[in-house]
Amino acid sequence: MPFKALACIVLSLMLLTVNANAHISTPSQASLFIISDNEYKLELQLDIVHLLQQETGLEDDDKTLIPALQQLPLPALMKALYASRDKLQNEIVVNFNGQPFPVNSVQAPSLQQVRQILASPPGTSGYQLTFAGYGDMPADTSKVSISFPEMLGDVSLALARPYQTFILAGKTSETISLQQGGSFSGELAAKITTFIDYTVQGVLHIIPKGLDHILFVLALFLLAGKMSTLLWQVSAFTLAHTITLALGIFGVVNLPASIVEPLIALSIAYVAVENIFALQLKKWRILVIFAFGLLHGLGFASVLLELGLAPGQYVLSLVAFNIGVELGQIAVILLAFACVWWWQSKDWYRQRIVQPLSLLVAVTGLYWFVERII
């Protein structure tokens, strides 16, 4: 029966990550410019590989997708590009004063730009290209909100810089005032929306997007014989990553991802290897977990910097995101507990559950470490 527990946890992790997109790792970027009293421009920085994949029906796997797009005949590539453009024009809606106004026209990047970026070496500059939309707006406009097609995923929106907010996939943004001031009820609604949106983003960056953080929490769970012991470890991890998340967001600590990401992978492998050989927890392990939590916090900070903090609500955004991260971690622990609680009291639990799973986590962490340094 212990193999059922092993299969349960592995299958659960697969289900948690099954919806994670293989290619998109950062939000689409949108900028709204008010050109005149009755005209606007909407610039979109989009992952062209992902857009073309949806229009061509090719498999969403970089190893096969990008070469397939490179070899796509010119007419087929043109058809997919223009189909993406038309879909954006038809499905993006800009609301002025609560009334929807369709985008009049969208300009797509040239075929030459598309072919050039597809031919660029992976990881050099990404696959972002610019689509530009234009439309009319009423002269007496005081508020605006925008809804984007769900195919774009999460969108980071900038309006008359430096305003920036965050829109969940397929959702309409909060209503943004174009005039100074605002009512108390409007400000409260905006804060509630911000809190909910950033909490959701915190959860999503554990489940399903944070597989490395999931494995770290799972490694902590495996060697914790008592729930109180696990809570102490998770609390130390939480405190540490909260500190560096805040320091990273406000620019006090800034380490490049090329250093942070490999070290996060190494921390996963270390804890998992310790699970294999340690018969019981050492008192100093909580200090090690705290140190690793500092690293993971820097990883969360890079994610939150990509999303952007809600203007005028930096602390609220930070707290909400962190709460979301904790909710995601708790969900992982509860799921793991549900899978193995029946066998935790068995004599063979460590040999047949803890050690095999820890070995799997350790190998994964070491693989990521090597992958991230080369």
Side-chain angles (χ1 to χ4, degrees), residues 125-144:
S125 58
Y127 296 96
Q128 300 283 325
L129 285 179
T130 301
F131 290 75
Y134 298 86
D136 300 324
M137 56 182 285
D140 60 344
T141 293
S142 60
K143 295 181 180 180
V144 59

Side-chain angles (χ1 to χ4, degrees), residues 10 61 70 235 266:
V10 173
D61 181 348
Q70 292 172 342
S235 297
L266 197 60

Side-chain angles (χ1 to χ4, degrees), residues 305-326:
L305 285 171
E306 289 177 353
L307 298 181
L309 293 173
Q313 300 178 26
Y314 296 148
V315 175
L316 180 63
S317 304
L318 180 62
V319 171
F321 183 83
N322 204 52
I323 289 175
V325 167
E326 298 318 307

Side-chain angles (χ1 to χ4, degrees), residues 37-331:
D37 289 341
N38 56 7
E39 187 179 6
Y40 69 85
K41 176 182 179 182
L42 183 64
E43 285 191 358
L44 300 167
Q45 290 285 332
L46 306 178
D47 188 316
I48 194 65
V49 170
H50 179 62
L51 287 181
L52 294 176
Q53 180 271 327
Q54 295 186 71
E55 294 301 329
T56 57
L58 295 171
E59 184 178 354
D60 193 6
D61 181 348
D62 286 1
K63 293 182 180 179
T64 57
L65 172 60
I66 295 175
L69 289 174
Q70 292 172 342
Q71 298 171 11
L72 205 63
L74 189 60
L77 185 63
M78 182 184 301
K79 180 181 178 181
L81 177 62
Y82 292 160
S84 298
R85 177 201 63 187
D86 294 343
K87 186 173 293 186
L88 290 173
Q89 182 172 334
N90 293 332
E91 297 187 17
I92 293 176
V93 178
V94 184
N95 301 284
F96 293 107
N97 294 339
Q99 298 297 317
F101 284 76
V103 180
N104 293 338
S105 65
V106 173
Q107 295 178 356
S110 67
L111 282 172
Q112 181 180 2
Q113 288 177 299
V114 174
R115 303 196 78 169
Q116 184 176 7
I117 202 167
L118 288 176
S120 62
T124 54
S125 58
Y127 296 96
Q128 300 283 325
L129 285 179
T130 301
F131 290 75
Y134 298 86
D136 300 324
M137 56 182 285
D140 60 344
T141 293
S142 60
K143 295 181 180 180
V144 59
S145 64
I146 306 176
S147 59
F148 294 96
E150 191 169 0
M151 68 176 183
L152 299 187
D154 300 334
V155 179
S156 179
L157 172 66
L159 168 62
R161 298 186 179 102
Y163 188 95
Q164 185 167 325
T165 188
F166 193 79
I167 306 171
L168 298 178
K171 302 297 183 181
T172 300
S173 73
E174 63 181 342
T175 300
I176 306 164
S177 176
L178 299 182
Q179 298 177 339
Q180 296 295 326
S183 65
F184 173 77
S185 60
E187 292 177 359
L188 179 60
K191 289 181 178 180
I192 293 174
T193 300
T194 295
F195 183 85
I196 294 174
D197 287 351
Y198 280 84
T199 299
V200 169
Q201 282 304 307
V203 173
L204 291 178
H205 280 83
I206 294 294
I207 305 172
K209 299 179 181 180
L211 184 55
D212 49 357
H213 301 293
I214 289 176
L215 291 186
F216 187 85
V217 172
L218 183 59
L220 297 183
F221 169 83
L222 288 172
L223 196 59
K226 300 178 180 178
M227 185 59 70
S228 59
T229 304
L230 178 61
L231 290 176
W232 274 109
Q233 294 182 69
V234 173
S235 297
F237 180 66
T238 297
L239 175 61
H241 76 60
T242 300
I243 292 172
T244 46
L245 173 58
L247 294 177
I249 283 296
F250 293 109
V252 179
V253 177
N254 185 16
L255 290 178
S258 59
I259 295 177
V260 173
E261 294 302 322
L263 290 177
I264 288 177
L266 197 60
S267 72
I268 297 169
Y270 176 88
V271 174
V273 169
E274 188 179 17
N275 287 353
I276 297 172
F277 296 103
L279 296 178
Q280 60 182 3
L281 288 173
K282 305 296 182 181
K283 293 182 178 179
W284 45 263
R285 194 192 204 204
I286 197 167
L287 297 177
V288 175
I289 292 172
F290 183 86
F292 288 156
L294 296 175
L295 284 173
H296 285 248
L298 292 175
F300 290 133
S302 65
V303 169
L304 192 50
L305 285 171
E306 289 177 353
L307 298 181
L309 293 173
Q313 300 178 26
Y314 296 148
V315 175
L316 180 63
S317 304
L318 180 62
V319 171
F321 183 83
N322 204 52
I323 289 175
V325 167
E326 298 318 307
L327 291 176
Q329 292 179 168
I330 291 171

